Amino acid sequence: MEVKEPAAAYGNRKYSIAEYLEMENTSVIKHEYYGGEIFAMSGAKLPHIVVEGNIFNALSTELNDKPCQPYNSNMRVYIEELDSFFYPDVTVVCGDPVTLNNDQMNVMNPKVIFEVLSPSTKNYDRGEKFKFYRELDSLKEYVLVDPLSVIIEAYHINSNGFWELKEYNDIDEVLELNSIGISLTLKEVYKKTKVITMQVHNK
């Protein structure tokens, strides 16, 4: 999903978490929440939706016999240290989900987060949003996927406890998700997109 600037209808006032959640429970569109401000999210374009669906479906298959569960972009992530709520494109939780006040609506312990990039959000996803997500002690991998070209930026915590980047840019490569013990082929990620057709023909 794409994040817009704070909607003008909300003005400059700060909202409490309770106010945000009450509004979100009845809203027809999604909003993220940070620093007391509410941010409206716009709909995604077709390539974004296809790639997001491919990732979710591939994870569902690979994790079928493992104690991990993928969630789509309807699942909110709550970052307690920041009192903030976000909607990642795909989230993986292992073991029992920890939710805010046991509400079953806001997971707090994702192990892997995927964001599908868009021109308007790619810098935010790589920078400030990644900084926010790093407040989650449970998070071990953060994967950014470009839906318009074969480019995947996969961050993971290395043996020294630092975030390390590995890039994938060949359709024949395999994305390793070591924290959950599975791998995804890039062909799965980009299935039924123009991107995969173009790269295969260019080889």
Side-chain angles (χ1 to χ4, degrees), residues 128-181:
E128 193 171 18
K129 198 169 195 180
F130 185 24
K131 180 181 177 181
F132 296 156
Y133 285 151
R134 292 200 299 271
E135 295 290 335
L136 294 161
D137 291 337
S138 62
L139 189 66
K140 304 303 177 187
E141 296 184 88
Y142 180 55
V143 184
L144 301 171
V145 182
D146 188 333
L148 301 179
S149 57
V150 181
I151 301 173
I152 294 179
E153 302 161 51
Y155 294 86
H156 68 277
I157 296 181
N158 62 25
S159 58
N160 295 317
F162 296 106
W163 284 96
E164 183 176 312
L165 169 64
K166 182 174 181 180
E167 296 186 5
Y168 299 82
N169 53 27
D170 191 298
I171 202 65
D172 293 320
E173 289 186 283
V174 176
L175 170 63
E176 302 289 347
L177 298 169
N178 294 318
S179 70
I180 53 177

Side-chain angles (χ1 to χ4, degrees), residues 76-80 93 97-101 106-110 136-138:
R76 279 193 302 261
V77 168
Y78 173 59
I79 303 177
E80 187 173 15
V93 173
V98 177
T99 63
L100 178 62
N101 300 323
N106 304 280
V107 296
M108 301 170 62
N109 60 328
L136 294 161
D137 291 337
S138 62

Side-chain angles (χ1 to χ4, degrees), residues 16-54:
S16 69
I17 287 177
E19 288 174 317
Y20 162 71
L21 292 175
E22 182 179 358
M23 186 196 76
E24 197 69 354
N25 289 341
T26 59
S27 176
V28 296
I29 63 172
K30 297 174 186 174
H31 302 81
E32 295 189 331
Y33 175 90
Y34 174 68
E37 291 187 277
I38 295 174
F39 299 82
M41 303 182 72
S42 64
K45 293 183 179 180
L46 185 60
H48 184 125
I49 295 170
V50 172
V51 168
E52 180 184 323
N54 288 344

Side-chain angles (χ1 to χ4, degrees), residues 89 125 144 170 195:
D89 287 310
D125 288 337
L144 301 171
D170 191 298
V195 171

